[in-house]
């Protein structure tokens, strides 16, 4: 089947977009779902419209899909499912990096979807504010305010990462 | 020094390549979307849980996605709650008192500039508070409430009494529950704390070494219900007014079974009520559980899913997991033609809840979020999703269910 390079594009970029999807979704099942939906949408457009910048296109779909999925309120009190808890560091040495990763994983869960998206866009993908704004379809001002709010929230929910997040370059105003 | 970028890189290393290409091609070929009604999934789930199904909705398939669903069902009526000045960004109920008269919540604003709201018998009034993203966590029968907001990058906790909000002392402490005498419990750095005196910083409740804790409710005598999490998992727990604490034991029927998760919701009279998710013979089983505070004895009943919240009388409200049919295409929505919101009583009887007029149900999504149930189970509150006027966006709207 002639797919005009769609398969080649996916094979080349699957690793990158898998990583982004995982950071956005937080678990493998949801990440796979998110990525599959985004690639399906891309596939439908691939032959209809010439897509000059598939990365930007799929980024837009991924983030939009991530932000627009609503779930029931995360504020339900006393929600404490043990299968979501990190493995306790029992006796065995948990490398410092592993602990920090677990803490970050937990802290990201406590951000809003939009906050999580700006963190991934700005600090993982390393996008500029205008590019992040374009990906999310919002103004640069919104990216700025969401970023500072997300960093504040990370400090609040993960005081253990406080030093870390504080020393991260803050987004210049 | 590791920075955020390096940490995110490290976390992303946990992601394999998700080999979804074949499935994408497969979906492209199929493209005929199978629409399976949420109600079909609901029957299956209920059957697995062995629950008597009472009054599952029977709906005409032509139901429109807005306004076509019944707002009365199974003895309950769903009503969208009024919001002063309208709510362009949405509204939600986040807490309620045991009688169902006072509901507390918020009107959402731009960039976290939300406004707190209290509905008294359905009539709303705004409560002004400093800070962003304010949130009412609890409200009592006499209208005493606790809230949090973010000021700068710090969490601030508040007690609301006699029409005034007063900030509670304590750094990064989250006030979560309050009783009529104004005793407050919450958490500070994942440790349970109490403010016996709202003018003084909170004091820690004792927890076993190496554990973290959370609080769910505080009784008139100052007993705090909640839970602890340690290397074995999470366990329901109570702290007596004298500061001593004890773990509440799982019902005998769960002896030796894997406990997947717990929810502790409410303390009412002699009872602490919550839910337990366990794996019994390889199947996920959800039980509602009522523990006696004095004897530690428990009784239990089946629940189709873990309710979002329980009331003091044991009634729970939640949403059924949707079917796992193909997801809608990104950017598109498939509207569900029946609700997956349920109400389960303390005897295990389950019925589906109606949908507020104008609420939009999206296939694969919960039909509602629930945050409060009165002790007698006749008032349930939370939110459903509605279309923002003049747009495709969905925004939450505060909803109350009144049941006979």
């Amino acid at each position: 089947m002639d797919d005009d390079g769609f398969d080649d594009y996916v094979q080349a970029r699957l690793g990158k977009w898998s990583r982004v999807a995982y950071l956005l979704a937080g678990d493998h099942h949801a990440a796979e779902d998110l990525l599959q939906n985004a690639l399906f949408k891309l596939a439908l457009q691939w032959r209809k419209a010439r897509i000059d910048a598939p990365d930007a296109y799929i980024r837009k779909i991924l983030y939009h899909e991530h932000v627009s999925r609503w779930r029931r309120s995360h504020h339900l009190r006393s929600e404490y499912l043990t299968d979501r808890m990190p493995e306790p560091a029992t006796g065995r040495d948990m490398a410092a990096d592993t602990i920090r990763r677990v803490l970050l994983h937990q802290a990201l869960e406590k951000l809003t979807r939009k906050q999580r998206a700006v963190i991934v866009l700005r600090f993982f993908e390393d996008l500029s504010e205008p590019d992040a704004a374009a990906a999310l379809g919002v103004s640069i001002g919104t990216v700025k305010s969401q970023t500072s709010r997300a960093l504040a929230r990370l400090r609040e929910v993960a005081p253990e990462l406080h030093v870390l997040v504080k020393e991260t370059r803050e987004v210049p105003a | 020094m590791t920075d955020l970028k390096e940490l995110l890189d490290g976390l992303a290393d946990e992601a394999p390549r998700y080999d979804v290409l074949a499935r994408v091609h497969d979906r492209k070929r199929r493209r005929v979307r199978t629409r399976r009604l949420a109600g079909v999934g609901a029957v299956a789930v209920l059957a697995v849980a062995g629950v008597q199904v009472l009054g599952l909705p029977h709906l005409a398939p032509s139901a429109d996605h807005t306004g076509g669903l019944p707002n009365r069902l199974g003895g309950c009526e769903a009503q969208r709650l009024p919001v002063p000045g309208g709510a362009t960004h949405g509204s939600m109920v986040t807490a309620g008192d045991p009688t169902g008269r006072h509901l507390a919540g918020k009107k959402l604003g731009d960039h976290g500039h939300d406004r707190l709201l209290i509905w008294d018998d359905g009539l709303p009034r705004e409560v002004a508070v400093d800070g962003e993203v304010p949130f009412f966590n609890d409200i009592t029968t006499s209208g005493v409430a606790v809230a949090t907001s973010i000021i700068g990058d710090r969490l601030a906790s508040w007690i609301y009494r006699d029409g005034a909000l007063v900030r509670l002392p304590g750094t990064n402490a989250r006030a979560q529950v309050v009783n009529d005498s104004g005793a407050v419990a919450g958490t500070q750095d994942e440790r349970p704390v109490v403010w016996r005196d709202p003018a003084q910083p909170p004091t820690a409740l004792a927890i076993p070494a190496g554990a973290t804790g959370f609080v769910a409710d505080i009784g008139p005598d100052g007993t705090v219900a909640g839970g602890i999490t340690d290397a074995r998992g999470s366990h329901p727990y109570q702290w007596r007014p004298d500061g001593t604490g004890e773990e509440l034991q799982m019902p005998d029927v769960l002896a030796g079974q894997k406990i997947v998760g717990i929810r502790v919701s409410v303390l009412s009279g002699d009872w602490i009520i919550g839910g337990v998710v366990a794996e019994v013979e390889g199947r996920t089983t959800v039980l509602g559980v009522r523990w006696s505070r004095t004897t530690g004895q428990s009784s239990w009943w089946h629940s189709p899913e873990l309710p979002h919240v329980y009331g003091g009388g044991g009634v729970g409200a939640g949403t059924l997991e949707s079917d796992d049919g193909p997801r809608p295409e990104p950017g598109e929505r498939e509207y569900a033609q029946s609700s997956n919101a349920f109400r389960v009583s303390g005897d295990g009887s389950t019925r589906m809840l109606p949908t507020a007029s104008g609420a939009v149900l999206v296939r694969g999504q919960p039909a509602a979020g629930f945050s409060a149930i009165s002790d007698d189970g006749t008032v349930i509150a939370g939110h459903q999703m509605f279309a923002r006027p003049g747009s495709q966006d969905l925004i939450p709207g505060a909803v109350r269910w009144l049941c006979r």
Side-chain angles (χ1 to χ4, degrees), chain B residues 234-245:
Chain B
S234 290
H235 318 277
Y237 209 83
Q238 67 165 326
W239 291 269
R240 296 203 184 81
D242 65 5
T244 59

Side-chain angles (χ1 to χ4, degrees), chain B residues 111-392:
Chain B
H111 306 308
H113 297 134
D114 308 342
R115 310 297 291 268
L116 291 175
L117 292 176
I118 290 178
W119 288 268
D120 186 342
D121 269 335
L123 293 177
R125 68 172 188 280
E126 276 192 27
V127 175
V129 62
D130 286 340
E132 291 179 47
V133 207
F135 200 91
F136 267 128
N137 290 304
D138 193 18
I139 187 164
T140 71
T141 306
S142 60
V144 179
V146 282
T148 50
S149 68
I150 296 174
I151 297 180
D153 60 357
R154 293 279 171 186
L155 184 74
S157 283
W158 305 86
I159 182 165
Y160 177 77
R161 269 200 293 203
D162 306 322
L165 270 167
V166 176
R167 189 162 174 182
L168 290 163
T171 307
N172 210 22
R174 185 184 300 274
Q176 285 169 298
V177 293
V178 61
N179 67 14
D180 277 319
S181 2
V184 176
T187 49
Q188 189 171 30
D189 301 325
E190 294 200 65
R191 296 178 65 86
V193 293
V194 282
W195 286 262
R196 302 278 181 210
D197 174 353
Q200 298 297 320
T203 51
L205 290 168
I207 49 175
T212 59
F214 60 94
V215 305
D217 204 359
I218 183 167
D221 64 353
T223 298
V224 175
I228 58 160
T229 301
D230 58 21
R232 298 169 300 146
S234 290
H235 318 277
Y237 209 83
Q238 67 165 326
W239 291 269
R240 296 203 184 81
D242 65 5
T244 59
E246 77 176 329
E247 191 176 318
L248 300 167
Q249 298 304 314
M250 286 295 160
D252 292 344
V253 69
L254 294 178
Q257 308 296 337
K258 183 184 173 204
I259 306 298
V260 179
I262 63 163
R263 174 162 301 153
V264 181
S265 250
V266 62
L267 183 156
S268 177
D270 185 42
W271 304 104
I272 292 171
I273 293 144
V276 177
V277 182
E279 259 175 38
V280 179
E281 291 162 7
R283 275 190 187 169
T284 302
T285 301
V286 184
L287 301 183
V289 183
R290 187 190 284 122
W291 286 273
S292 164
R293 287 164 50 194
T294 45
T295 68
Q297 295 290 310
S298 60
S299 57
W300 58 269
W301 59 95
H302 278 292
S303 181
E305 294 273 354
L306 189 63
H308 303 176
V309 67
Y310 286 96
V315 172
T319 47
L320 299 169
E321 286 286 316
S322 60
D323 67 297
D324 56 1
R327 288 281 176 89
E329 294 159 24
E332 289 183 17
R333 273 187 211 118
E334 276 185 35
Y335 296 102
Q337 296 180 18
S338 63
S339 174
N340 54 21
F342 71 89
R343 173 186 189 273
V344 57
S345 304
D347 61 2
S349 62
T350 301
R351 60 186 59 197
M352 303 310 286
L353 284 167
T355 300
S357 295
V360 176
L361 303 187
V362 179
R363 192 171 69 78
Q365 306 281 13
F370 298 105
S371 54
I373 303 186
S374 62
D375 279 357
D376 64 5
T378 60
V379 183
I380 301 173
H383 68 270
Q384 292 196 284
M385 299 305 281
F386 297 83
R388 189 205 297 267
S391 129
Q392 289 290 308

Side-chain angles (χ1 to χ4, degrees), chain A residues 7 11 18-19 22 28 32-33 36-37 70 72 75-76 78-79 82 101 123-124 149 156 164, chain B residues 2 5 7 9 13-14 17-18 23 25 27 132 135 174 234 260 264 327 330 365-366 370 385:
Chain A
D7 284 10
Q11 293 299 359
S18 294
R19 291 162 67 83
Y22 179 66
H28 296 308
E32 202 172 332
D33 229 33
Q36 190 196 139
N37 277 340
W70 64 277
R72 72 170 192 253
H75 301 290
L76 301 170
S78 313
E79 177 148 23
T82 54
R101 261 207 318 268
F123 297 99
F124 178 70
R149 197 157 292 122
E156 178 209 326
L164 171 92
Chain B
T2 319
K5 161 87 175 147
L7 259 182
D9 275 338
D13 286 344
E14 293 176 6
R17 274 168 68 95
Y18 299 116
R23 269 172 286 158
H25 283 307
R27 273 179 72 177
E132 291 179 47
F135 200 91
R174 185 184 300 274
S234 290
V260 179
V264 181
R327 288 281 176 89
Q365 306 281 13
F370 298 105
M385 299 305 281

